[in-house]
Each structure stands twice: as structure tokens, then as C-alpha cells.
Amino acid sequence: MLSLLQLPRQALLILLLQFTNSLGVSALVPLMSFFIVEGLGADPWQVGLYSGLVMPLTLAVNRWAGERLDNRFPVKSLLVVSVVAYITLAALLTQISSLAMLLVLIAPLMSLSNMGAGVVFTFGRLFAEQEGMDVARVNSWLRMMVSLAWMIGPAVSFSVVAAFGFAAAFLCAFAIGIVYLMLWYIVVPADFRSARERSKTNGKAPINWGLQIAGLTCLGFVITNSLFVSAMPLFFVQETHLPGATPGLALSVKCLLEVFVIFGSVRLAERIGIRQVLMLAACLAAVSMVLFAQVTALWQVLAIAVLEGTYYGLFAGVAISFVQSFAPDRPGRATAVYMNSLFLGGMIGSISMGFIASAASFQTVLYTAALSATAALAVLLATFKVQPKVIEEGA
């Protein structure tokens, strides 16, 4: 079993490519709603117009990209679409002056740039297979790169906006895009593609119910996380009257634990099974949401954040391998299902949070997040006999 430092140079470069892609996306995506309201002077409800356009386009683009990869389309030719889209939108954002321009020019480009993470995930999976590496472990390292990038990107971009304005933040994103382009050119071989022959079917392909179940399970976890992250600042500060720094401190503890737990999640899955790891994560998620709803002091929040980081690290470390294992001959499609569960869950959670909080309270949002995790656990239990195929080294 290779450690991170023992990986081949090409594998390390793929991890760096994923980190750079995620760093760029994380520097822009959380900033967009703030830019729409503060930078363009639009009403807060108009953020929904942008999100409502980007999300469906992203789901469609991810599915399209996955099918292309499974049909042995070169990774380099597909990924460049995402790279160029990101660089172009970062440059255009420095000139955007109206919501209409944002919807017409930026939303489609953002959707194309969002597909980059899924393409790199599939690239890493295919490379690991062809080199006889531990696929599940490579997946966990790729996912850890995403987590690390999201720890850095939003904090840096909002800090730059506070100090120098939106244009400076968009120029920083553009600079990240140039690095992304350079890595694309260096890291991805021109003729690299799937070595698998796609399975043939007569007529319409049957529905892969195992893949749909795996995607539904991921959706439950992501809705839990999205509901909590959306409600957390207002719940801790407004309803619980904790210090203003509480949300940031809790997120920092969670992200730190998440990175370390991702490392151990694959080893745990090897011992008890990948589905059992997800069941454990679902239990911890539900418990942590209920406990968060009862906090009255900062130390309680930080202690429960350790539990939250543990559950999300377990989920993040094995979820993509769980989904891919239901379609080993179509890793592009499986990765698209995984990525779309992340985007769709995020959209459902963020939109639902506002309605739930308006109708009841932010505490109710946390209880709803616990129910979503419980639903994920119920799906895992109810479909226990629908087991994924084991991902073997080099398989």
C-alpha cells in the first residue's frame, strides 16, 4: 500500500491538478451570491435566478462529460473545455456590470468550469487502474485535494474582496486559471483515454439501480451538510447568541478533522466494508446535527465539530469509490452521478434552509438535516443486499 509521498510523479501531478481546479472553483462559487447583491446591487432573491440557471446546466454538462469519457474520448480534449471556460469567466467577471450579463455570459461558463472536478476524478481513476494502483485510495486522495482547496479558496477570495474589491478577487481567480491551464498542458497526456471497452447492450440500456441507489445515498449526506452549513452562522449567532467567531471556528475544526479522517477512511473500509463506513457516517451525522441543535456554549460547538468532521471525512473518503463500484465499466458516468449528487444536494439544502427557517426556526433546520442523514442510513439498510462490486487494485 503506497503512502502519499511514495506515489509516482504523475499521480502527484494529478492530485495537484485537482487541487488547482478546486481552488479556482472554490474562490468563485461562494463569492457569486455576495457579488450579485453587493457588487451588482441586485435584490437577494435574484441570486436564485443565477443558481437556478447554473445548477441544471451543471448537472447536464457533468452527465455529458461522463458519457464522453466512457466512450473513450481523450481526457485532455475534454478537460480543456473546463479550463478555458474558467479562465474566460474569471476575465469576464472583471467587466460584468449587470445581472443580465451575468446570466447570459457567466452562468453557462460556470457550468462548464464546474465539470472539471468530475473529469479529473475520472482521469485519476483511469490512471490508477492502468498503473495497477489502489483505486479507492487514489480516490480518497483526490477528494482530500478538494477539501484542502475549499479550506483555502473561499477564505482568500473574501479576504481579497474586503481589502481590494471584487475586481482584485476575480484577477486572482484568473491567475489560478492560468496555473490550471499550465498544469492541464503538463499533466494530461494528449492521447490518454479509458482503456475499457464500454459494455454493449441491445436497444435501450437497462437502468442501473445500484448506481441510482448509491447516488441517492450521497444526496442524503450532501443535503445534511448543505442544510447545516447554510443555517449554522445564523443559528449560532442569532438564535443561540454565541460569539460571532463561532461559525468560523467550528468550520475550521470540522475541515481539519475531515482531512485527517479521509486518510483513514479507506483503511477502515478495507476492514469493515465500504457500505458499513457510510452507515457509520450517517449515524454520526444524525447525532451531530441533533447535538448541534442543543448547544449553549462555544466549547460544546467545537467538541461537536470534531464529530461533524469525522462523519463528513468518512463520507468524503469513500463515497466516490462506493458510487463508481456500481458501474466499473462506466467510471465517467458513475463519477457524473457522484458529482451531480453534490451539486443537486447543495442546491436542495441551500434553498430548503430558507423556507424551513422562515416557517419554523434555524434549530428546525438542524433537525431536518438530521432527518436527511437518517434517510441516507435507511436507504443503505433497505438496500443492503444491493452490494457494490469490490474495487481491486488495478481492477
Side-chain angles (χ1 to χ4, degrees):
M1 195 72 69
L2 289 176
S3 70
L4 184 60
L5 296 179
Q6 293 173 318
L7 284 175
R9 176 178 178 273
Q10 178 66 9
L12 290 172
L13 287 174
I14 294 173
L15 295 181
L16 182 59
L17 180 67
Q18 183 68 289
F19 175 79
T20 306
N21 162 75
S22 299
L23 183 66
V25 171
S26 68
L28 286 183
V29 170
L31 192 62
M32 296 310 298
S33 59
F34 189 54
F35 174 64
I36 290 171
V37 176
E38 294 294 328
L40 300 180
D43 294 327
W45 69 266
Q46 292 177 310
V47 174
L49 297 176
Y50 172 79
S51 300
L53 184 58
V54 170
M55 287 301 177
L57 288 175
T58 298
L59 300 181
V61 168
N62 277 335
R63 180 63 181 267
W64 171 80
E67 293 296 327
R68 299 287 283 176
L69 290 171
D70 287 339
N71 280 303
R72 307 189 74 244
F73 193 82
V75 172
K76 195 180 190 80
S77 300
L78 190 59
L79 185 58
V80 72
V81 176
S82 174
V83 177
V84 172
Y86 180 83
I87 293 174
T88 304
L89 77 89
L92 286 174
L93 278 169
T94 63
Q95 307 301 318
I96 293 294
S97 57
S98 70
L99 181 64
M101 293 174 64
L102 192 79
L103 296 177
V104 173
L105 298 176
I106 300 303
L109 290 172
M110 185 66 80
S111 302
L112 289 172
S113 72
N114 284 342
M115 82 175 185
V119 173
V120 179
F121 267 123
T122 304
F123 175 35
R125 160 69 185 256
L126 295 174
F127 175 80
E129 287 182 346
Q130 294 178 21
E131 294 297 315
M133 300 173 64
D134 186 329
V135 173
R137 192 162 294 276
V138 171
N139 277 337
S140 71
W141 285 327
L142 285 166
R143 185 57 182 81
M144 189 183 68
M145 292 299 104
V146 176
S147 295
L148 286 173
W150 277 84
M151 286 174 62
I152 299 170
V156 171
S157 62
F158 278 101
S159 297
V160 171
V161 168
F164 306 106
F166 285 105
F170 296 145
L171 285 175
C172 289
F174 179 80
I176 295 172
I178 297 302
V179 177
Y180 187 18
L181 179 64
M182 294 171 60
L183 286 171
W184 162 83
Y185 181 78
I186 295 169
V187 175
V188 189
D191 59 347
F192 187 92
R193 66 190 72 205
S194 175
R196 295 178 179 271
E197 290 294 335
R198 180 172 175 173
S199 59
K200 304 295 183 181
T201 57
N202 294 324
K204 187 177 180 181
I207 297 175
N208 187 335
W209 290 109
L211 183 61
Q212 303 307 315
I213 290 169
L216 184 62
T217 300
C218 290
L219 186 66
F221 279 101
V222 178
I223 291 174
T224 294
N225 183 65
S226 179
L227 283 170
F228 176 70
V229 170
S230 300
M232 173 184 66
L234 294 169
F235 171 70
F236 286 154
V237 177
Q238 289 188 4
E239 287 192 6
T240 315
H241 306 295
L242 293 173
T246 300
L249 291 173
L251 189 60
S252 296
V253 172
K254 179 249 188 184
C255 290
L256 182 63
L257 260 295
E258 175 187 328
V259 170
F260 285 105
V261 173
I262 286 174
F263 265 122
S265 61
V266 176
R267 187 176 296 276
L268 182 61
E270 291 168 353
R271 289 176 176 268
I272 68 173
I274 194 169
R275 184 186 293 264
Q276 286 81 351
V277 171
L278 289 173
M279 290 169 62
L280 174 61
C283 292
L284 293 177
V287 170
S288 63
M289 293 301 105
V290 172
L291 290 177
F292 270 131
Q294 311 301 320
V295 297
T296 57
L298 176 59
W299 71 266
Q300 295 173 342
V301 172
L302 299 183
I304 302 169
V306 173
L307 193 64
E308 184 202 5
T310 301
Y311 102 73
Y312 201 78
L314 291 173
F315 163 71
V318 302
I320 187 170
S321 295
F322 181 67
V323 176
Q324 287 178 346
S325 65
F326 283 101
D329 61 328
R330 296 187 179 186
R333 180 184 178 189
T335 304
V337 169
Y338 169 74
M339 294 302 301
N340 282 348
S341 74
L342 301 186
F343 285 109
L344 184 59
M347 180 176 69
I348 293 173
S350 60
I351 293 174
S352 300
M353 186 280 292
F355 289 108
I356 297 169
S358 298
S361 65
F362 290 107
Q363 185 182 51
T364 305
V365 175
L366 301 192
Y367 287 131
T368 306
L371 287 176
S372 181
T374 304
L377 176 62
V379 171
L380 288 167
L381 289 171
T383 61
F384 199 84
K385 292 183 179 180
V386 185
Q387 290 288 338
K389 298 178 181 179
V390 177
I391 299 178
E392 299 174 354
E393 286 193 39

